[in-house]
Amino acid sequence: MSEELWTDVDRYISEALVAPDAALNAALEDSAAAGLPSIHVSPNQGKLLMLLARAHRARRILEIGTLGGYSTIWLARSLVEGGRVVTLELSASYAAVAANNLARAGLREMVEIRTGDARASLTDLLTEGQPPFDFIFIDADKENYPGYFESALRLSRPGTMIIADNVVRKGSIVDSRSEDLNVQGVQHFYKLLRNESRVIATAIQTVGSKGHDGFAIALVTGM
Ligand code: SAH
Ligand code: DHB
Ligand code: MG
């Protein structure tokens, strides 16, 4: 099977099941025009995030890695009345694109964008004594996934769902001798998931318009 076929199948699925959406399309167009890398989740993956957060009746969602806010729009659309997304982005210029994309989607008031290194923003969230999040999407630099997961756990309650993107990276994770810090970060993240008694976790690999990759899903059961 080729990447071209995976992309065709993703297009088929999206045309069948993901309604055309002006705000989402405009978000991608403006992100590309502003020079942001095309590393957002695919439409059917975005809808999966929305569906899972909706099934979970999430009221407080944390996203680590905003980019142009494409996944953020999906997550914000899952929210119950009065719900809120906090999203963390290193780049101030990416965050500005995201803010505009969220405003056009009519979601700006539901989303707080915190600019700067997510490690510092997570420390801030912890010291502010924020109430726990119901749903957490980890999608920033892969090297720091272990730390993001540990912070996510500290910002969780029993029942919180934690999802991490890009946990397969074209299969590179099976290379135990990899010197790529991103790969090592994801491998360390798997180790934390395996050894963490407070979560039930699994991962699934995916193919599609974003190549061969995968999601990890962890449900916090105890604290
Ligand atoms: N969730 C987005 C894609 C995120 S891409 C979507 O699917 O639409 C990863 C993002 O993480 C990039 O925008 C990158 O700037 C950001 N990032 C990388 N390192 C970071 C860090 N240390 N802290 C916060 N954000 C970071
Ligand atoms: C890439 C893809 C992603 O989904 C991401 O969050 C970061 C990087 C990539 O393909 O390089
Ligand atoms: Mg990703």
Side-chain angles (χ1 to χ4, degrees), residues 39-40 139-140 142 165-166 169:
I39 54 174
H40 51 86
D139 194 22
K142 316 310 161 195
D165 191 23
N166 309 114
R169 306 307 303 271

Side-chain angles (χ1 to χ4, degrees), residues 93-106:
S93 63
Y94 292 5
V97 173
N100 192 52
N101 286 336
L102 286 157
R104 182 173 36 217

Side-chain angles (χ1 to χ4, degrees), residues 97-115:
V97 173
N100 192 52
N101 286 336
L102 286 157
R104 182 173 36 217
L107 298 165
R108 189 66 192 90
E109 285 85 74
M110 285 103 107
V111 180
E112 181 187 348
I113 307 173
R114 294 195 181 204
T115 305

Side-chain angles (χ1 to χ4, degrees), residues 149 153 160-164 167 189-204 215-221:
F149 176 62
L153 266 182
T160 297
M161 181 170 283
I162 301 174
I163 304 215
V167 299
F189 170 59
Y190 273 95
K191 203 164 167 184
L192 294 178
L193 281 178
R194 182 173 66 235
N195 294 332
E196 178 53 68
S197 59
R198 294 171 293 177
V199 303
I200 302 171
T202 190
I204 47 163
F215 283 113
I217 306 185
L219 180 67
V220 179
T221 54

Side-chain angles (χ1 to χ4, degrees), residues 37-42 45 64-65 67 137-142 145 165-166 169-170 210 213:
S38 182
I39 54 174
H40 51 86
V41 293
S42 64
Q45 288 174 339
I64 308 174
L67 191 67
F137 180 47
I138 301 176
D139 194 22
D141 53 317
K142 316 310 161 195
Y145 269 31
D165 191 23
N166 309 114
R169 306 307 303 271
K170 300 183 200 300
K210 298 287 156 182
D213 216 319

Side-chain angles (χ1 to χ4, degrees), residues 6 18 25 46 52 72 75 83 101 107 113-114 133 135 156 166 179 185 196 221:
W6 303 342
V18 186
N25 290 339
L52 290 171
T72 322
L75 289 169
N101 286 336
L107 298 165
I113 307 173
R114 294 195 181 204
F133 290 91
F135 191 96
S156 292
N166 309 114
E179 285 176 15
E196 178 53 68
T221 54

